Amino acid sequence: AAALLRDMASCATGAALYRGATFLKGREGERVGSTLLTLSDDPLLPARSGSRPFDGEGVAARRVQLFDRGVFSGFLFDVYTARRTGRSTTGSAARGVESLPSPGPSNLVLEPGTTSPRDIVGGVDDGLYVTALLGHGFNPTTGDYSRGASGFWIRHGELAFPVTEINVSGFMPAMLDGVDAVGDDLTWFGSIAAPTLRVAEMTVSGL
C-alpha cells in the first residue's frame, strides 16, 4: 500500500502536470478512485520524518488534500511549476543540498477504513496478499502498471502458501476505482502512512 501511494503521489505533482506526464492531467474535481480513498499530504504532523514548518523555498507549509473520497482534488506545486501552470504554490517544494527545488510530498496519509485486515483477507476466495513490490514498471503518463511482487496466495479466506518472483499488472485508474476495502490498521512506513488495501482485480502472472 505504501508503494502504491508513492506511485500515486508522483502523478500528483506540478512537475508531472506541466510536462503532461500524468494520467491525472485535466481530471481535478473528477472521481478517479474508489469512494474509500482519501489521501492527503500533511507536513504539519508532529514528530514525523516528512514534517516541516516551511518548504524548500521558504514558503509556509500546509496540508494539501490530494484525493477526497475518490475525487482528485489537486496537485502539489512549488513556485516554478505553479508559475508554469498558472497556479499558486502549495508550499510543497523539496530540495537536497545541491539540487534545485521540485514539488514533492512530505507526509502522505491515506485515511484508514473500518475493516480489519483479517476480514479483508477473509473476504477473498482466491487471490494474492502482496507484501512487497519490486522494480519500476509504472508509467505515470498512461497509468499502465506492472511490477514484480512477492507475498502469499489466499485460498478460501486464508493465507495458503508464499509466492515470489511473480508480476502484478493493471491500469492505475482502474486499480484505484477497484479498491473495495480499506483496513483499520494505519501504519507508518517512513513518511507514508497506509492501511491494508484490497484491489478487486489485477492480472497476476508467473505463478
Side-chain angles (χ1 to χ4, degrees), residues 13-126:
T13 68
L17 175 63
Y18 91 77
R19 294 187 181 114
T22 172
F23 73 93
L24 293 172
K25 184 177 182 178
R27 305 193 69 176
E28 289 168 276
E30 292 184 15
R31 192 177 76 81
V32 178
S34 164
T35 56
L36 298 174
L37 292 177
T38 295
L39 176 66
S40 62
D41 181 64
D42 194 348
L44 302 179
L45 293 174
R48 292 299 175 187
S49 60
S51 298
R52 59 198 183 201
F54 50 84
D55 73 353
E57 296 173 318
V59 177
R62 63 182 176 88
R63 180 179 181 274
V64 179
Q65 191 79 45
L66 298 177
F67 287 83
D68 183 12
R69 290 174 292 181
V71 175
F72 177 55
S73 302
F75 295 87
L76 300 172
F77 293 101
D78 62 356
V79 170
Y80 175 74
T81 58
R83 185 170 64 247
R84 287 290 302 263
T85 55
R87 313 293 183 92
S88 298
T89 179
T90 58
S92 302
R95 69 185 306 168
V97 176
E98 298 180 350
S99 65
L100 293 172
S102 61
S106 56
N107 297 308
L108 284 174
V109 182
L110 182 65
E111 187 174 301
T114 58
T115 309
S116 71
R118 178 180 293 273
D119 288 341
I120 290 177
V121 173
V124 177
D125 186 59
D126 195 43

